[in-house]
Amino acid sequence: GAGVSQSPSNKVTEKGKDVELRCDPISGHTALYWYRQSLGQGLEFLIYFQGNSAPDKSGLPSDRFSAERTGGSVSTLTIQRTQQEDSAVYLCASSLDIRTGSGNTIYFGEGSWLTVV
Amino acid sequence: RKEVEQDPGPFNVPEGATVAFNCTYSNSASQSFFWYRQDCRKEPKLLMSVYSSGNEDGRFTAQLNRASQYISLLIRDSKLSDSATYLCVVNSETGGFKTIFGAGTRLFVKA
């Protein structure tokens, strides 16, 4: 697609329910990232994928959080047994590949705004 | 110490002013650097890459000082539309890939 696409754009869920957030990266981008941002706070890195592989999962806040990516494209971030502190905007981003360099621009989606009530 | 640190601000400046932000990073092996801009309740968007020799894009100038491990962003002739949060971004591959975003510096430009 033209840009990073995320769904749902907004989600209100009850505490204890599971939620699944989806990210469709820019076509051809092999690297995909998930960040979380609470209101008025900075970006919190959660996880990245190079292809379908996630080498470092240490950024996930707890074992209630999991992410997968299949086919080197779409990724889903799943939060089980949601808690109120999970309320935040979950931002997905993609880049051509994981290698650093001034050409490796990261492009963000508009985010999935999650509210746990 | 945070890996990437920024003064959170806010910086309140009048239109037409020149304002500068610094961002320090702790990993001396960091390899690439960027400034992103984030408007309220919007996603971050790339403002500019930061090159070793320094680079300019219109009213915006970015500088890198590897010896002191900081990057800077200078905005000349501030516009109301420059009001936003400016995030510095540092990439490294030491011990595994890392892209670290600073917490951001808030800028308010007032008429």
Side-chain angles (χ1 to χ4, degrees):
Chain A
V4 178
S5 177
Q6 291 189 246
S7 62
S9 53
N10 284 284
K11 175 74 175 178
V12 180
T13 190
E14 290 181 353
K15 178 181 171 182
K17 295 283 180 69
D18 296 352
V19 296
E20 192 171 276
L21 309 176
R22 175 189 167 104
C23 174
D24 197 349
I26 293 173
S27 179
H29 280 194
T30 63
L32 185 148
Y33 316 79
W34 283 100
Y35 291 86
R36 177 169 75 171
Q37 188 173 33
S38 301
L39 198 61
Q41 302 298 310
L43 290 170
E44 177 186 2
F45 173 74
L46 299 180
I47 192 169
Y48 80 89
F49 290 88
Q50 175 61 26
N52 293 333
S53 173
D56 181 5
K57 300 182 180 180
S58 62
L60 294 174
S62 75
D63 58 8
R64 296 186 294 105
F65 288 73
S66 62
E68 64 175 17
R69 188 182 188 194
T70 56
S73 182
V74 172
S75 175
T76 54
L77 177 69
T78 301
I79 309 172
Q80 295 178 308
R81 304 180 304 281
T82 52
Q83 304 294 313
Q84 287 184 327
E85 62 262 28
D86 298 335
S87 297
V89 58
Y90 289 82
L91 290 160
C92 178
S94 70
S95 65
L96 276 173
D97 62 47
I98 209 70
R99 289 174 298 175
T100 61
S102 59
N104 190 34
T105 302
I106 293 176
Y107 297 91
F108 284 85
E110 293 185 348
S112 289
W113 293 77
L114 175 66
T115 303
V116 182
V117 297
Chain B
R1 182 187 173 189
K2 291 183 181 177
E3 292 186 76
V4 176
E5 292 200 73
Q6 295 184 250
D7 181 344
F11 285 65
N12 294 289
V13 302
E15 271 187 296
T18 295
V19 62
F21 311 132
N22 278 349
C23 167
T24 58
Y25 60 94
S26 60
N27 184 352
S28 60
S30 297
Q31 296 170 303
S32 60
F33 309 87
F34 306 83
W35 283 102
Y36 275 69
R37 169 191 170 130
Q38 186 173 26
D39 292 291
C40 188
R41 298 182 69 82
K42 296 287 189 181
E43 75 275 19
K45 293 184 179 178
L46 178 68
L47 179 65
M48 58 197 303
S49 301
V50 185
Y51 301 120
S52 297
S53 55
N55 49 298
E56 190 174 302
D57 183 2
R59 298 181 292 108
F60 298 84
T61 300
Q63 298 265 343
L64 167 63
N65 185 318
R66 285 193 182 273
S68 299
Q69 294 182 206
Y70 74 84
I71 64 172
S72 64
L73 177 68
L74 181 78
I75 305 175
R76 290 182 300 277
D77 188 23
S78 300
K79 311 291 184 191
L80 295 176
S81 58
D82 293 335
S83 297
T85 298
Y86 292 84
L87 309 171
C88 76
V89 183
V90 176
N91 281 340
S92 68
E93 288 188 56
T94 307
F97 166 79
K98 272 189 176 182
T99 291
I100 306 294
F101 280 76
T105 298
R106 298 186 73 186
L107 172 66
F108 294 101
V109 181
K110 300 186 176 180

